[in-house]
């Protein structure tokens, strides 16, 4: 793990700030270690998506209209602070800041860290070393030099910049909703904070960002595409601050295996980084902890069996959620504008209300259950097949009854 500073003591600590959306998988992991209530106390619950169409035809789509389950918005630094404090106070964990991993002897289970202040390199040995050091994992970079380690990464053509809606303007929006401005090839989102402010993220192709190279073009862009957001963000932020922001990259990462022998293991983004459009990156990372904990119990803390089994159990599910995250960008930016999408959502909600144990919509299964991600996709494909069959049967019935009606009418029966 690499922290340059203790963000609990340094208010200037920076990093990614897209708010995180806590859902069932992360909550389950926190519940196991007794942290769920502490974490939820600092969140804002979100009941669904509030869609802002360019036409001004705004509408609300609940996440779970049947059981009324919510997502919970939390600031990334706030969550990290809670977890760091709990690790120190409750779990006898020692945390060292301002160190980075520079090398490892995989065969011997030895790692080397460099002090970022003194540049001194220290050596540590352990029976099991877990790398949870993010998408650009230093430990994974070392492990992937070994034979038969599969690795791929994909940067998408879209990047993002972050803005803020201040509390005074934020009070004009529904505080318990995930706000979404879909515009087919780009989109903007706003996620609530406890102080009534909103963290805003604009996702767009790098080519589009490059073309908007001055204040006048940005203001024109917002006037044409997000006219209702200008007063929320303020013209000054759009014209003076936004042109100075450099878009950040978004990457998906796949690798296999997640371990090296019985000494090293990768979890979270180090093993399976994904784009943020399903809100499952952090939730999947916490679920890694749940799965690892279950395997430790199952194999009586036999690390050799546990970490090999972890790769086998987790790899395909992780790949599945990475693919779903890519799909959900299309859903948020484009599909939500289609009438067919809303019709399908109505069908899902109707069947879900009558058969909640059988018919679980894709979003509900991913976000509000612990169903395996692969199973979520398989379940969706089954549902698609059922609906296609129902529509085919309905079409046959309509044609048949139309023919009978025509025949009876022509023969004056």
């Amino acid at each position: 793990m690499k922290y340059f500073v203790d963000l609990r003591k340094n208010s200037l600590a920076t990093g990614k700030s897209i708010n995180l959306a806590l859902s069932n998988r992360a909550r389950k992991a926190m519940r196991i270690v007794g942290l769920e209530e502490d974490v939820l106390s600092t969140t804002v619950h979100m009941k669904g998506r509030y869609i802002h169409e360019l036409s001004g035809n705004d509408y609300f789509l609940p996440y779970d209209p049947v059981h009324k389950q919510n997502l919970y918005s939390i600031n990334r630094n706030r969550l990290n602070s809670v977890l760091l404090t709990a690790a120190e106070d409750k779990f006898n964990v020692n945390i060292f800041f301002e160190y980075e991993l520079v090398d490892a002897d995989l065969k011997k289970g030895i790692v080397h860290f460099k002090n970022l202040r003194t540049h001194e390199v220290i050596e540590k040995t352990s029976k099991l070393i877990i790398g949870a050091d993010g998408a650009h994992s230093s430990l994974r970079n070392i492990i992937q030099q070994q034979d038969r380690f599969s690795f791929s990464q994909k940067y998408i053509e879209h990047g993002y910049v972050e803005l803020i809606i201040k509390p005074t303007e934020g009070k004009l929006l529904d505080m318990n909703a995930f706000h979404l401005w879909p515009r087919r090839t780009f989109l903007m989102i706003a996620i609530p904070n406890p102080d009534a402010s909103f963290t805003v993220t604009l996702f767009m192709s790098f080519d589009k960002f490059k073309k908007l190279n001055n204040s006048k073009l940005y203001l024109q862009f917002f006037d044409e595409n997000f006219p209702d957001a200008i007063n929320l963000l303020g013209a000054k932020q759009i014209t003076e601050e936004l042109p100075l922001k450099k878009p950040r990259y978004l990457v998906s990462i796949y690798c296999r295996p997640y371990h090296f022998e019985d000494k090293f293991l990768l979890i979270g983004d180090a093993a399976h980084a994904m784009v943020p459009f399903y809100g499952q990156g952090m939730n999947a990372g916490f679920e890694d902890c749940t799965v690892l904990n279950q395997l430790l119990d199952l194999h009586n803390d036999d690390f050799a069996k546990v970490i090999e089994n972890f790769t086998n159990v987790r790899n395909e599910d992780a790949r599945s959620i990475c693919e779903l995250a890519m799909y959900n960008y299309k859903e948020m930016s484009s599909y939500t504008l289609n009438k067919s999408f809303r019709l399908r959502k109505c069908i899902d909600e109707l069947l879900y209300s009558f058969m909640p144990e059988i018919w679980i919509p894709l979003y509900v299964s991913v976000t509000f259950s612990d169903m395996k991600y692969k199973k979520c996709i398989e379940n969706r494909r089954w549902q698609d097949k059922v609906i296609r069959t129902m529509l085919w049967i309905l079409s046959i019935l309509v044609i048949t009854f139309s023919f009978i009606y025509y025949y009876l009418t022509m023969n004056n029966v």
Side-chain angles (χ1 to χ4, degrees):
M1 184 185 296
K2 179 171 69 176
Y3 282 103
F4 289 103
V5 295
D6 187 344
L7 51 85
R8 296 167 295 174
K9 301 175 182 178
N10 190 325
S11 61
L12 298 179
T14 60
K16 295 179 181 178
S17 59
I18 295 178
N19 283 35
L20 300 168
L22 283 167
S23 58
N24 182 74
R25 298 172 198 268
R27 291 180 62 186
K28 181 179 179 180
M30 293 176 190
R31 194 179 308 127
I32 291 172
V33 293
L35 292 179
E36 183 181 22
E37 294 305 318
D38 288 345
V39 171
L40 289 183
S41 67
T42 66
T43 66
V44 179
H45 73 275
M46 299 183 292
K47 298 177 289 185
R49 296 173 179 169
Y50 195 100
I51 312 297
H52 299 261
E53 290 193 350
L54 184 56
S55 64
N57 181 30
D58 301 345
Y59 58 94
F60 180 76
L61 291 175
Y63 289 130
D64 181 7
V66 176
H67 295 112
K68 313 298 182 184
Q69 298 180 90
N70 301 318
L71 293 182
Y72 295 84
S73 167
I74 187 169
N75 176 271
R76 186 183 301 265
N77 283 352
R78 174 57 186 161
L79 175 61
N80 284 335
S81 295
V82 172
L83 296 176
L84 288 170
T85 299
E88 288 180 328
D89 295 346
K90 298 183 179 182
F91 304 113
N92 193 30
V93 173
N94 295 318
I95 302 173
F96 298 90
F97 297 92
E98 299 182 330
Y99 281 86
E100 68 173 341
L101 177 69
V102 292
D103 198 7
D105 187 325
L106 300 180
K107 290 290 185 179
K108 296 180 180 179
I110 298 173
V111 287
H112 299 93
F113 294 95
K114 182 175 73 174
N115 185 305
L116 297 177
R117 286 184 179 272
T118 66
H119 303 292
E120 175 192 7
V121 176
I122 63 172
E123 178 180 292
K124 294 290 181 180
T125 304
S126 179
K127 290 182 179 179
L128 176 63
I129 297 168
I130 299 176
D133 51 340
H136 302 288
S137 167
S138 298
L139 182 59
R140 189 191 63 239
N141 289 339
I142 296 170
I143 295 177
Q144 72 186 56
Q145 298 173 31
Q146 305 305 304
D147 294 337
R148 302 183 65 192
F149 184 91
S150 299
F151 169 78
S152 67
Q153 65 181 21
K154 180 180 180 181
Y155 286 93
I156 67 172
E157 64 179 11
H158 288 68
Y160 69 95
V161 295
E162 294 171 342
L163 302 164
I164 189 76
I165 295 175
K166 295 179 180 178
T168 49
E169 288 75 26
K171 292 176 181 178
L172 302 174
L173 296 174
D174 185 341
M175 272 295 299
N176 299 116
F178 174 99
H179 291 263
L180 173 63
W181 287 260
R183 296 298 184 263
R184 298 292 181 187
T185 58
F186 53 91
L187 80 155
M188 187 170 71
I189 64 173
I191 306 178
N193 297 304
D195 64 353
S197 68
F198 282 78
T199 301
V200 178
T201 312
L202 173 63
F203 298 95
M204 195 162 55
S205 71
F206 283 98
D207 288 342
K208 185 69 174 177
F209 276 119
K210 189 175 181 179
K211 291 176 181 177
L212 300 175
N213 54 17
N214 61 56
S215 300
K216 182 179 179 181
L217 290 176
Y218 260 116
L219 188 59
Q220 180 182 343
F221 170 75
F222 268 79
D223 187 52
E224 293 174 352
N225 296 285
F226 307 110
D228 59 331
I230 294 177
N231 289 335
L232 296 172
L233 292 166
K236 180 180 179 180
Q237 184 174 194
I238 295 170
T239 59
E240 295 182 17
E241 299 176 24
L242 184 53
L244 301 178
K245 293 179 180 288
K246 182 180 180 180
R248 295 180 176 179
Y249 294 92
L250 294 167
V251 65
S252 283
I253 288 176
Y254 306 96
C255 71
R256 183 182 177 94
Y258 293 152
H259 68 282
F260 179 82
E261 296 184 353
D262 62 346
K263 298 181 179 65
F264 292 86
L265 178 67
L266 301 170
I267 65 172
D269 282 356
H272 46 70
M274 66 196 72
V275 294
F277 304 116
Y278 225 115
Q280 284 296 300
M282 175 266 301
N283 288 282
F286 274 110
E287 190 172 55
D288 283 352
C289 300
T290 302
V291 172
L292 184 59
N293 188 59
Q294 292 169 342
L295 292 174
L296 286 166
D297 290 339
L298 178 65
H299 296 294
N300 297 314
D301 297 337
D302 184 333
F303 292 160
K305 293 180 180 178
V306 167
I307 64 176
E308 181 177 0
N309 203 354
F310 181 83
T311 290
N312 295 332
V313 168
R314 199 64 178 147
N315 190 262
E316 199 163 0
D317 275 338
R319 179 176 287 272
S320 295
I321 189 56
C322 287
E323 292 172 355
L324 279 174
M326 295 292 289
Y327 159 81
N328 214 45
Y329 180 76
K330 296 178 181 178
E331 178 174 304
M332 290 201 301
S333 63
S334 182
Y335 298 162
T336 52
L337 297 171
N338 299 337
K339 292 181 179 180
S340 59
F341 172 82
R342 292 187 227 175
L343 176 61
R344 171 59 190 268
K345 192 168 181 63
C346 288
I347 293 173
D348 276 337
E349 291 174 2
L350 179 64
L351 294 174
Y352 181 42
S353 64
F354 283 106
M355 302 180 292
E357 301 299 323
I358 298 174
W359 194 278
I360 306 175
L362 176 63
Y363 193 87
V364 173
S365 66
V366 170
T367 308
F368 300 119
S369 82
D370 56 5
M371 182 186 296
K372 287 181 174 294
Y373 289 124
K374 180 186 176 184
K375 178 63 176 176
C376 292
I377 294 177
E378 292 173 349
N379 190 51
R380 174 68 169 202
R381 288 171 180 163
W382 169 79
Q383 291 172 350
D384 289 343
K385 185 176 180 179
V386 170
I387 289 177
R388 285 196 300 268
T389 302
M390 290 171 57
L391 291 175
W392 182 80
I393 293 173
L394 181 62
S395 299
I396 295 297
L397 290 175
V398 169
I399 293 172
T400 300
F401 281 112
S402 298
F403 178 79
I404 293 172
Y405 176 79
Y406 176 78
Y407 175 80
L408 295 176
T409 301
M410 293 298 293
N411 290 277
N412 296 316
V413 177

